[in-house]
Amino acid sequence: GKSGYDHYMLKEIHEQPRALRQAISGRIDDLGTEVELDVGLPEEYLHSLEEIQIIACGTSYHAGLYAKELLETHADIRVTVHIASEYEFTGDRDPWRTLVLAITQSGETADTLSALREANRAGARSLALTNTLGSTVTREVDDTIFIRAGPEIGVAATKTFVSQVATATLLTVHLGMIRGSLTGQTVDALLNSIQDLPGAVQQILDQESTIKRAAQQYADSDAFFYIGRQAGYPVAIESALKLKEIAYDHAEGFPAGELKHGPLALVTPDTPVIALLTAGTNAEKTQHNITEVASRGAPTIGLTGSPDVDPDLDLTFEIPECGLMEPVAANVALQLFAYHVANEKERPIDKPRNLAKSVTVE
Ligand code: M6R
């Protein structure tokens, strides 16, 4: 059942601290200095790997974009991220040295399975990041890492996104250690940030009434724009997707720097602009974009660790310190924002029109 919550989505949003603890549990050693992730692929293989191709759809694709940021920076490996339905295996590389990483909550998404089959036929090795034991994807890859988020009933993916990113961070440290690309200091920083995440998410959940008030205040806007850089970008497009799905409002996420190359024309006093300004998002540069939209009269909301960061912000949602996981924590605040906009409009949040939890047709 919904354990007293009005919707499964809200229950699942509130389950995130626990889901994250489960994702991490037993995967970091007692000293907190090493990852113990059971990846079946041989170490020599992971050492000599040339490229990871991530294939995924929807929210899982956004988790893939986040994973790319982490893997390229810390595991010294080239990563390409593909919307599964657009994927074609590129045959000009040694397929054996390409690892295809299928990210799928359900493990049953037809577009993702079809991309995976193409890669398998071409001779790539494959790994799944999934939430679902015994799912189709687990039978068609060389190895699987489970995100252990527990069942997700709401059509909108919430706790599975944060668990995908947390698990991908563990995979990054695992690969970085094998490939010799990580210093002890960076390992500590990454592992601390993952371990701090469940507590940070709890602190965000504790601010729900503030986020709800903001959602009620802006629920009637013409559109919602989300901007971010680096790891803030996947979170921007993920947050926009959440709002589209459950509130049926026009919402878009943009790399903050792209605003002035076109989308700025859409900005009016009736389009709130929501900016990711945490660690790992090159916030200083994004502040210029806030100034630009504020001068066009747009309401602005910033997700930041330092509430006084920008006088042009109308509102801030405060994000507790958790290093490179801060954009993930910010995502939780924006799940709540989308939820409360949709709830204000009395949308059928757990079963949005036209959508299915698991998309088993191409
Ligand atoms: O089960 P999967 O992770 O493969 O599903 C992929 C998408 O269908 C899914 O994330 C979809 O975008 C969600 N409804 C987003 O909230």
Side-chain angles (χ1 to χ4, degrees):
K2 289 182 273 195
S3 323
Y5 289 102
D6 289 343
H7 297 95
Y8 281 108
M9 183 185 178
L10 190 59
K11 173 178 179 253
E12 288 155 4
I13 289 173
H14 281 265
E15 278 170 355
Q16 291 177 109
R18 188 155 52 100
L20 284 165
R21 286 194 189 96
Q22 281 165 199
I24 303 164
S25 169
R27 288 172 165 173
I28 298 178
D29 73 334
D30 291 341
L31 295 172
T33 52
E34 260 181 64
V35 165
E36 291 167 349
L37 196 62
D38 190 20
V39 183
L41 295 164
E43 288 208 2
E44 314 105 73
Y45 172 72
L46 296 174
H47 187 83
S48 62
L49 203 58
E50 270 177 10
E51 181 181 359
I52 295 180
Q53 297 185 346
I54 297 179
I55 52 177
C57 305
T59 291
S60 294
Y61 170 73
H62 302 152
L65 291 175
Y66 204 118
K68 173 187 162 88
E69 286 287 325
L70 295 165
L71 286 161
E72 286 196 329
T73 315
H74 300 293
D76 187 28
I77 185 147
R78 186 172 65 231
V79 181
T80 54
V81 194
H82 306 259
I83 291 177
S85 57
E86 293 289 324
Y87 178 76
E88 277 172 52
F89 189 85
T90 37
D92 53 353
R93 299 191 191 96
D94 183 355
W96 174 256
R97 288 186 199 279
T98 301
L99 177 67
V100 169
L101 175 63
I103 306 185
T104 166
Q105 184 285 129
S106 61
E108 303 296 345
T109 300
D111 288 328
T112 307
L113 291 171
S114 143
L116 172 65
R117 286 169 189 149
E118 177 172 344
N120 280 345
R121 275 194 301 275
R125 297 205 120 181
S126 54
L127 183 62
L129 195 65
T130 184
N131 196 30
T132 316
L133 292 166
S135 56
T136 305
V137 79
T138 64
R139 294 195 297 270
E140 301 197 13
V141 285
D142 294 305
D143 198 24
T144 299
I145 302 172
F146 290 100
I147 63 168
R148 304 176 182 160
E152 190 176 66
I153 311 290
V155 164
T158 52
K159 62 176 178 172
T160 54
F161 175 77
V162 301
S163 299
Q164 283 167 338
V165 176
T167 314
T169 311
L170 293 172
L171 177 64
T172 300
V173 177
H174 181 80
L175 289 177
M177 290 179 79
I178 290 173
R179 297 167 70 81
S181 58
L182 278 175
T183 63
Q185 219 177 2
T186 312
V187 172
D188 284 354
L190 283 166
L191 295 185
N192 285 338
S193 72
I194 305 180
Q195 287 170 305
D196 289 344
L197 184 58
V201 168
Q202 187 57 56
Q203 279 176 259
I204 288 165
L205 298 175
D206 295 341
Q207 298 176 49
E208 182 166 359
S209 55
T210 313
I211 298 169
K212 181 178 175 177
R213 268 198 304 282
Q216 289 170 335
Q217 181 181 348
Y218 293 117
D220 287 327
S221 302
D222 289 346
F224 297 82
F225 300 128
Y226 294 80
I227 58 172
R229 294 169 190 259
Q230 297 173 343
Y233 172 62
V235 170
I237 56 177
E238 167 56 13
S239 303
L241 176 63
K242 226 75 314 171
L243 200 88
K244 287 177 208 175
E245 275 187 293
I246 62 168
Y248 311 160
D249 275 315
H250 177 212
E252 294 297 332
F254 302 110
E258 273 294 289
L259 264 191
K260 59 184 174 297
H261 298 287
L264 194 55
L266 298 169
V267 169
T268 74
D270 292 313
T271 61
V273 176
I274 300 159
L276 277 302
L277 299 170
T278 64
T281 66
N282 207 350
E284 270 165 45
K285 280 200 167 178
T286 304
Q287 278 179 247
H288 300 304
N289 309 111
I290 295 171
T291 310
E292 282 162 9
V293 300
S295 74
R296 271 89 185 168
T300 53
I301 303 177
L303 292 100
T304 167
S306 28
D308 307 323
V309 66
D310 194 322
D312 283 322
L313 288 172
D314 294 307
L315 278 179
T316 53
F317 298 156
E318 209 172 323
I319 307 305
E321 222 180 283
C322 52
L324 287 177
M325 294 292 104
E326 283 180 24
V328 187
N331 180 253
V332 172
L334 295 176
Q335 294 168 353
L336 284 171
F337 183 76
Y339 173 85
H340 285 292
V341 170
N343 203 32
E344 183 68 13
K345 300 186 157 186
E346 299 182 14
R347 305 294 195 215
I349 291 178
D350 286 331
K351 286 196 173 301
R353 68 185 179 201
N354 313 336
L355 299 178
K357 179 66 180 164
S358 184
V359 186
T360 54
V361 289
E362 276 185 58

